[in-house]
Amino acid sequence: MLAVLVGLVAAVSASAGPVAAKPVANPKPLTIPALQEWTGSTGSFTLTGATRIVSSTAHSSALASTSEVFADDLQALAGLTVARSTGTTADLRAGDIFLSLGSTDTQLGAEGYTLSITDKITISARDDRGAFYGTRTLLQLLKQGSSIPRGAARDWPLKPERGLMVDNGRKYFTPQWLRDHVKELAYLKMNYFHLHLSDNKGFRIESSSHPEIVSAEHLTKQEVRDLIALAAQYKITIVPEIDAPGHMTPILAAHPELKLVSNAGVVQDSYIDLSKPAAYALLKDLYDEYLRLFPGPYFHIGADEYDINYTSHPQLEQYAKATYGANAIGKDAYLGFINWANGIIRGAGKTTRAWNDGIGGGVAVTVNTNVILEFWYNYGKSPQAHIDAGHLISNESWTPTYYVLYAGGPGGPSSQWGYDTWNPDLFQGDQTITKASKSKNLGSKIHVWCDNPDVATEERIASDIKQGLRMLAQQTWGSPKLVTPWSNFVPVINTIGRNPAWTTSVQVGNLAANKPVTVSSAETATFLGVNAVDSDYFSRWSSGYTDNEWITVDLGTSRQIGRVKLFWETAYGSGYKIQTSNDGTTWTTIYTTTTGDGGTDDLTGLSGSGRYVRVQGTARATQFGFSLYEFEVYAPTAV
């Protein structure tokens, strides 16, 4: 009987043919930050010219801006004019993208969302901000191709503040640079843009109350209003900072009578004398003016590095005693200033922010606990002590969030350490806070400090902070990482790229721009081959330390080649060949040299064709490898 049953099973199996393999669920897709949760399905959704953005009829007004921005970004990304409409789920057809509010999933908070990708896409959120971040996820997926994997996601941030600070006081940043970074922050689901508008080397915003203090290069109020309007569309909070009572050199140059002078007659060019009533009148003018200009919830007063010897400035103690009581000391004059400014800012319906380094140390004055403290360095009280005193704080620790223009060149941020080791609740000096206190830490940002403003252009700065912003986006969103360590995250950064509307320096006719590349080697995960075709003249590919190194770009189809431009870093090729191929195996040399001298090699009058173009090294000029900022390829007619 057993033999008969076995035979029957075998016969049935044979007649049924081979068993089809079960489809494999789509893995979690590449995004920055990574999705909190993903359940993969099978198959894909494809964006087409027939795709519509459909906003829920019940929430069409609240979603109008998100829908419009998303359509604009799809136009920039894919060149498609995507129709926008309103409706319900019953109105959807295959290929549509549906935006809706009213989710009952409380874990999502205001910035979270759910995402369902089938033959159509649905984004659901509790707030318009969440729906907007769902569209950012779609943009990143579509950046990788018009077809994206089917599946479902739930996604929300760990920290409510995730952003960028720019020292626009010491270095002038153009409105275009600032606008580009509004969109760049939003692409990474970051929401906070801090403008440090005054410092010792400049006051960079138009002033009607005190035009005498404004630097020649500055933002006009209309430029600021335009930036604020753009930021609102992209769910970015703009936070202005007017730094006082230190870092005031350009202000005090126009008001020398308010400079702090020691009892030995030493004049402090950057410190205002807090014992003088006129000092408060001047600063109140500025606060009143800019509190009206900036509609956001925060105003930053700086209050950092008022580093003085109070014994040498007895007028401050005299002022403090007269104002705060007989037991007051000189430091109380400074702490009282913070509370005075806080009163003005709260009177305008906003919340005061200040750096942490000077807080504490008074006798008669304690800083109001409704001032948010930004902890950048371990001076004075610990982060936990500030929280225990009643303050909200943010983690602006020097390491890993600072990028500084030093005299010898730019330095930081420490992106690798930030990704592999740091987290937003680990503060400068390896200080931590309790689990119960973590909700009192609002988040973090990358800081661009321009101590020596001329050592880097704004284009170089944009390139240098690209990876740091993506490190911070991942760490402050707090989702499980797609990959570790940092060396595996860098290729993800390159895959996701810039936001679709990023202003690039792509040269017209450059056939190699953003095309696939392969290389013989990469010195580190920071210097990958893709950097040589990204139209960024500050990122670069760097090879291993041998003579026989190469980089190949795939043009996608066979093209006529008449010109190649190579932008070498210090490690250049003294000997190399330019070669073409139709199959990536058999190569034809169309240029060769043994006397390369670095810099920019603009090789014109070439004659060749192929799908692939290769720079084949034959001799290094230095002990290092071959390193190219850009590898550009042009047809014979390109100028």
Side-chain angles (χ1 to χ4, degrees), residues 251-574:
I251 298 174
L252 296 176
H255 294 274
E257 73 282 0
L258 298 181
K259 292 181 181 181
L260 184 65
V261 182
S262 75
N263 54 9
V266 177
V267 178
Q268 302 284 355
D269 289 334
S270 64
Y271 300 154
I272 200 166
D273 189 339
L274 292 173
S275 72
K276 295 185 174 182
Y280 296 88
L282 171 63
L283 288 169
K284 187 176 187 304
D285 287 344
L286 297 177
Y287 293 157
D288 288 343
E289 180 174 6
Y290 298 121
L291 284 166
R292 289 192 296 269
L293 179 62
F294 290 89
Y298 301 120
F299 193 94
H300 204 301
I301 63 170
D304 60 312
E305 298 181 320
Y306 195 66
D307 299 327
I308 63 170
N309 182 334
Y310 286 95
T311 302
S312 300
H313 301 87
Q315 69 269 40
L316 295 178
E317 182 169 329
Q318 293 167 10
Y319 172 84
K321 289 181 182 299
T323 307
Y324 306 115
N327 65 332
I329 61 175
K331 182 67 178 292
D332 288 317
Y334 160 80
L335 299 174
F337 158 76
I338 295 175
N339 288 346
W340 169 82
N342 184 44
I344 296 171
I345 291 162
R346 295 196 71 81
K350 301 181 189 299
T351 297
T352 305
R353 305 182 77 112
W355 302 106
N356 76 289
D357 55 277
I359 307 304
V363 172
V365 179
T366 301
V367 170
N368 300 149
T369 57
N370 53 23
V371 175
I372 296 173
L373 301 179
E374 304 202 349
F375 194 97
W376 69 277
Y377 206 71
N378 51 326
Y379 292 133
K381 293 182 179 181
S382 69
Q384 188 65 55
H386 288 309
I387 291 173
D388 291 344
H391 292 279
L392 292 174
I393 65 173
S394 60
N395 187 353
E396 319 303 347
S397 294
W398 182 302
T399 307
T401 73
Y402 270 32
Y403 170 86
V404 184
L405 302 187
Y406 297 106
S414 308
S415 300
Q416 180 172 346
W417 185 83
Y419 185 82
D420 289 339
T421 304
W422 179 78
N423 69 78
D425 294 312
L426 177 62
F427 292 78
Q428 193 71 30
D430 292 326
Q431 298 181 84
T432 58
I433 56 178
T434 66
K435 183 177 181 180
S437 298
K438 290 184 178 181
S439 63
K440 305 296 185 181
N441 172 19
L442 299 175
S444 187
K445 52 186 176 283
I446 293 296
H447 303 77
V448 176
W449 288 110
C450 303
D451 298 41
N452 292 270
D454 296 330
V455 303
T457 63
E458 62 178 14
E459 293 83 6
R460 166 73 185 274
I461 293 167
S463 178
D464 286 352
I465 66 173
K466 176 183 176 182
Q467 292 186 344
L469 284 173
R470 284 145 180 81
M471 173 275 292
L472 194 87
Q474 174 60 51
Q475 299 296 64
T476 53
W477 195 262
S479 52
K481 294 175 182 174
L482 283 168
V483 293
T484 57
W486 169 255
S487 58
N488 291 329
F489 186 57
V490 173
V492 179
I493 291 175
N494 291 329
T495 297
I496 301 303
R498 298 283 196 181
N499 77 83
W502 182 258
T503 302
T504 68
S505 49
V506 174
Q507 298 299 307
V508 175
N510 178 16
L511 304 175
N514 299 310
K515 291 297 195 300
V517 294
T518 53
V519 296
S520 54
S521 65
E523 181 183 9
T524 72
T526 300
F527 303 126
L528 300 179
V530 67
N531 295 337
V533 295
D534 64 357
S535 302
D536 183 336
Y537 293 97
F538 299 100
S539 64
R540 60 188 173 94
W541 164 66
S542 187
S543 76
Y545 299 171
T546 72
D547 288 331
N548 189 35
E549 301 285 350
W550 50 264
I551 178 170
T552 299
V553 60
D554 179 358
L555 304 181
T557 187
S558 183
R559 302 295 298 264
Q560 293 293 316
I561 310 301
R563 178 188 182 196
V564 169
K565 288 187 76 174
L566 305 176
F567 296 81
W568 294 103
E569 195 255 352
T570 304
Y572 66 93
S574 59

Side-chain angles (χ1 to χ4, degrees), residues 85-99:
S85 65
T86 61
T88 67
T89 54
D91 300 316
L92 299 180
R93 61 194 187 209
D96 284 347
I97 300 172
F98 185 61
L99 308 179

Side-chain angles (χ1 to χ4, degrees), residues 74-81:
L74 288 176
Q75 171 71 40
L77 175 67
L80 295 177
T81 300

Side-chain angles (χ1 to χ4, degrees), residues 547 549-551 564-568 572-579 589-603 606 614-621 626 628 631:
D547 288 331
E549 301 285 350
W550 50 264
I551 178 170
V564 169
K565 288 187 76 174
L566 305 176
F567 296 81
W568 294 103
Y572 66 93
S574 59
Y576 63 88
K577 299 175 182 179
I578 305 298
Q579 299 177 314
T589 299
I590 62 173
Y591 177 84
T592 186
T593 184
T594 58
T595 58
D597 59 0
T600 299
D601 288 346
D602 190 355
L603 312 175
L606 305 181
R614 178 168 77 175
V615 180
Q616 172 65 63
T618 58
R620 294 167 291 149
F626 297 83
L628 283 168
F631 172 18

